[in-house]
């Protein structure tokens, strides 16, 4: 449960690269068996000598993170053959390139025909080192166990992946998967923080009684546990949809649900981590405790792979481009109707939000917040523990959520919720 999150970065990038690489059958044939080998080969040797490889990505440049079309890295064909699978040399600079020990990277660069996607190996096919130079490692707030770097390509060898000029479209298939992993990773951080808070307070006596038995602390702990369970619930719901994305309804649902879930869970995690730290008290702020590490880790998933606003704009883009995605999302919500009047009213009101699209970009966070809360409620009602679903609806829908954790209504059975979330040692 408390595995360090830093190792998640190269893992998610490696597996998420699969759908993007499938755009190039020759590259897929050579690379996918090594990617899916489930074997980590740490040796600094060419990819063709390895049974298992890891893959990173380098999109972000100083002037272009969210807006990758502002990238200036250039790609020049090496031979007369051009396009998907052909060989190029890349010249440019990338402002962020995490896990630079990976065996290859999906990179965006411009050809004469627009922004394209490339696979850039760290060693050239002739066995020499590629012209990719790490300029420095980033001095990050957290995520320390995962190196992030700035790199320069000085005529670095790479193969084009997918159609020329369609680089964003190709790499977005990787990004969709890493966004899902951000949901899972942040849910895991939440759970780690809640487990620490409950464990500590259950052994800490203050004013003559253990903290986790005192009413106000019970309110905080139970509220954190509800948040954590709701985050995990929608992460698993999206995982299920991804596993069944050959079903058109699930594919439409997942298009919106990933952006909604990535935005919401990753944004809720830093505040939850801080509250868990405060439950532990002074020692929770001291580096001997794990909470400072969890706290520093918490914002990263919200920032990378499309920051909060970018996710909200992505929801609007998806709705605009393919209106059926919102129908699929609303159908999912409607399946949970008929159990809680407040939830039914919430979903009905949500439906009317889409009838007025004026000023929608300005209101995007308000809208996506509601979609996220509705999705969490729906998933908990349909697949979750009844006690958690009821408490979620009472606290997040009927009373519109407190600004702070620890503001649950008094009829919520906090003791039972804490007991359920108590780590089993
Ligand atoms: C630890 C870490 C590791 C990373 N690893 C990698 C990596 O391996 N490979 C890689 O390519 N990148 C990586 N990144 C970079 C990351 O993906 C970018 O930082 C991110 O995409 C945001 O881009 P930016 O920093 O240029 O911010 P900007 O694009 O300048 O955005 C700043 C803010 O503006 C908001 N914003 C953007 N557009 C709009 C809009 N139209 N309306 C309203 N608000 C908007 C964004 O949501 C954001 O909050 C990493 C970042 C971190 C922190």
């Amino acid at each position: 449960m408390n595995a360090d999150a830093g190792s998640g970065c190269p893992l998610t990038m490696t597996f998420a690269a699969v759908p993007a690489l499938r755009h190039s059958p020759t590259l897929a044939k050579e690379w996918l068996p090594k990617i899916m080998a489930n074997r980590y080969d740490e040796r600094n040797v060419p990819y063709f000598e390895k049974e298992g490889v890891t893959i990173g990505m380098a999109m972000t440049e100083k002037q272009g993170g969210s807006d990758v079309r502002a990238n200036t890295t250039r790609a020049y064909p090496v031979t007369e053959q051009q396009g998907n699978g052909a060989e190029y040399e890349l010249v440019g600079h990338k402002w962020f390139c995490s896990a630079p020990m990976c065996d290859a990277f999906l990179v965006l660069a411009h050809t004469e025909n627009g922004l394209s996607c490339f696979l850039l190996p760290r060693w050239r096919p002739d066995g020499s080192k590629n012209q990719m130079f790490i300029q420095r490692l980033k001095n990050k707030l957290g995520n320390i166990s995962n190196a992030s770097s700035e790199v320069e390509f000085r005529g670095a060898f790479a193969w084009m992946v997918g159609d020329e000029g369609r680089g964003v479209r190709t790499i977005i298939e990787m990004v969709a998967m890493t966004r899902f992993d951000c949901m899972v990773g942040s849910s895991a951080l939440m759970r780690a923080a809640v487990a620490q808070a409950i464990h500590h307070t259950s052994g800490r006596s203050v004013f003559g009684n253990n903290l986790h038995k005192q009413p106000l602390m019970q309110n905080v702990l139970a509220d954190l546990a509800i948040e954590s369970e709701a985050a995990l619930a929608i992460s698993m719901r999206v995982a299920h949809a991804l596993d069944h994305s050959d079903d058109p309804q699930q594919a439409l649902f997942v298009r919106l649900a990933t952006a909604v879930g990535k935005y919401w869970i990753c944004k809720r995690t830093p505040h939850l981590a801080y509250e868990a730290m405060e439950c532990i008290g002074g020692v929770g702020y001291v580096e001997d405790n794990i909470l400072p590490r969890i706290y520093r880790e918490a914002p990263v998933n919200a920032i990378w792979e499309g920051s909060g606003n970018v996710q909200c704009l992505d929801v609007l883009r998806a709705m605009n481009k393919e209106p059926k995605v919102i129908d699929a999302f609303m159908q999912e919500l409607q399946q949970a109707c008929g159990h809680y009047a407040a939830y039914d009213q919430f979903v009905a009101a949500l439906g009317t939000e889409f009838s007025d699209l004026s000023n929608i970009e300005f209101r995007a966070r308000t809208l996506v917040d509601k979609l996220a809360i509705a999705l969490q409620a729906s998933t908990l009602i349909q697949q979750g523990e009844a006690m958690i679903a009821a408490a979620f609806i009472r606290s997040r829908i009927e009373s519109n959520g407190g600004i702070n954790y620890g503001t649950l209504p008094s009829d919520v059975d906090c003791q039972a919720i804490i007991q359920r979330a108590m780590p089993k040692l």
Side-chain angles (χ1 to χ4, degrees):
M1 180 183 69
N2 283 340
D4 187 86
S7 60
C9 178
L11 279 179
T12 177
M13 292 195 293
T14 298
F15 291 110
V18 170
L21 282 174
R22 284 200 172 124
H23 283 270
S24 182
T26 47
L27 291 173
K29 193 171 170 208
E30 181 167 17
W31 286 81
L32 293 194
K34 294 177 194 287
I35 288 175
M36 296 196 273
N38 277 341
R39 179 161 182 266
Y40 181 57
D41 185 341
E42 75 284 2
R43 291 175 304 143
N44 187 11
V45 295
Y47 59 93
F48 48 79
E49 292 180 20
K50 291 189 168 191
E51 282 176 36
V53 295
T54 51
I55 308 287
M57 70 165 112
M59 297 189 287
T60 308
E61 298 182 11
K62 278 183 187 163
Q63 75 291 351
S66 308
D67 181 9
V68 289
R69 293 197 180 275
N71 278 192
T72 59
T73 297
R74 300 286 310 181
Y76 302 95
V78 174
T79 64
E80 285 192 352
Q81 195 206 340
Q82 295 184 30
N84 195 355
E87 299 178 354
Y88 287 76
E89 282 183 354
L90 269 55
V91 178
H93 178 263
K94 294 290 176 182
W95 183 229
F96 271 98
C97 176
S98 289
M101 73 292 177
C102 284
D103 297 288
F105 304 83
L106 283 176
V107 179
L108 287 179
H110 280 281
T111 65
E112 282 181 355
N113 296 314
L115 197 59
S116 308
C117 182
F118 295 87
L119 182 70
L120 186 151
R122 229 154 36 78
W123 293 74
R124 290 166 172 267
D126 65 7
S128 63
K129 282 254 174 89
N130 206 354
Q131 296 293 301
M132 168 185 173
F133 296 92
I134 297 173
Q135 297 195 304
R136 65 166 178 163
L137 296 183
K138 296 287 197 188
N139 184 10
K140 295 182 288 183
L141 166 72
N143 195 248
I144 306 293
S145 63
N146 175 43
S148 297
S149 66
E150 291 165 29
V151 295
E152 201 170 72
F153 304 132
R154 298 183 202 155
F157 172 90
W159 298 277
M160 187 179 283
V161 182
D163 292 338
E164 189 171 0
R166 309 300 299 267
V168 174
R169 204 177 152 183
T170 305
I171 211 164
I172 205 75
E173 299 206 23
M174 176 175 190
V175 171
M177 300 305 288
T178 51
R179 285 178 178 171
F180 163 67
D181 279 349
C182 287
M183 295 174 66
V184 176
S186 288
S187 300
L189 270 186
M190 280 191 182
R191 171 62 194 153
V194 169
Q196 292 290 336
I198 293 180
H199 174 69
H200 179 90
T201 51
S202 65
R204 173 73 171 168
S205 174
V206 175
F207 301 120
N209 199 2
N210 274 7
L211 272 172
H212 79 308
K213 293 198 171 143
Q214 303 203 27
L216 185 51
M217 183 57 90
Q218 287 186 329
N219 198 332
V220 176
L221 294 173
D223 212 355
L224 297 178
I226 293 166
E227 188 75 34
S228 161
E229 191 151 341
L232 182 63
I234 58 169
S235 298
M236 293 302 105
R237 175 64 190 92
V238 171
H240 178 84
L242 281 168
D243 278 350
H244 297 85
S245 54
D246 46 346
D247 172 349
Q249 190 72 5
Q250 297 294 315
L252 288 167
F253 167 73
V254 88
R255 174 67 187 88
L256 222 53
T258 311
V260 169
K262 198 275 187 188
Y263 161 77
W264 180 252
I265 296 174
C266 300
K267 197 161 282 301
R268 300 285 287 178
T269 305
H271 189 196
L272 181 139
Y274 148 67
E275 279 289 0
M277 179 186 280
E278 189 171 315
C279 290
I280 294 174
V283 74
Y285 193 72
V286 173
E287 293 291 347
D288 300 342
N289 195 277
I290 195 177
L291 256 298
R293 200 168 81 191
I294 292 176
Y295 181 71
R296 284 194 301 268
E297 182 72 24
V300 68
N301 282 342
I303 294 174
W304 90 302
E305 289 307 68
S307 312
N309 286 355
V310 170
Q311 296 306 314
C312 293
L313 296 175
D314 191 42
V315 168
L316 300 187
R317 189 180 311 113
M319 281 165 38
N320 194 29
K321 205 170 156 199
E322 175 58 285
K324 281 184 187 159
V325 295
I326 193 64
D327 297 338
F329 197 92
M330 292 306 290
Q331 277 173 29
E332 170 82 12
L333 301 185
Q334 276 146 10
Q335 280 169 17
C337 284
H339 303 276
Y340 297 92
Y343 172 80
D344 298 356
Q345 284 161 16
F346 192 82
V347 171
L350 198 50
T352 64
E353 295 264 349
F354 307 109
S355 54
D356 173 19
L357 297 181
S358 60
N359 221 6
I360 188 79
E361 193 170 321
F362 185 76
R363 295 187 287 117
R365 279 195 185 211
T366 313
L367 176 66
V368 179
D369 284 355
K370 289 180 188 167
L371 291 174
I373 290 171
L375 180 59
Q376 290 189 313
S378 150
T379 311
L380 287 170
I381 293 169
Q382 293 182 74
Q383 269 106 29
E385 176 76 22
M387 164 180 74
I388 303 291
F392 186 92
I393 286 151
R394 284 284 285 127
S395 57
R396 270 79 170 161
I397 290 183
E398 280 178 24
S399 57
N400 210 15
I403 291 173
N404 279 319
Y405 288 110
T407 52
L408 294 172
S410 52
D411 55 1
V412 169
D413 187 349
C414 292
Q415 275 193 47
I417 293 172
I418 294 168
Q419 200 51 44
R420 177 174 161 78
M422 179 78 73
K424 313 286 180 288
L425 297 174

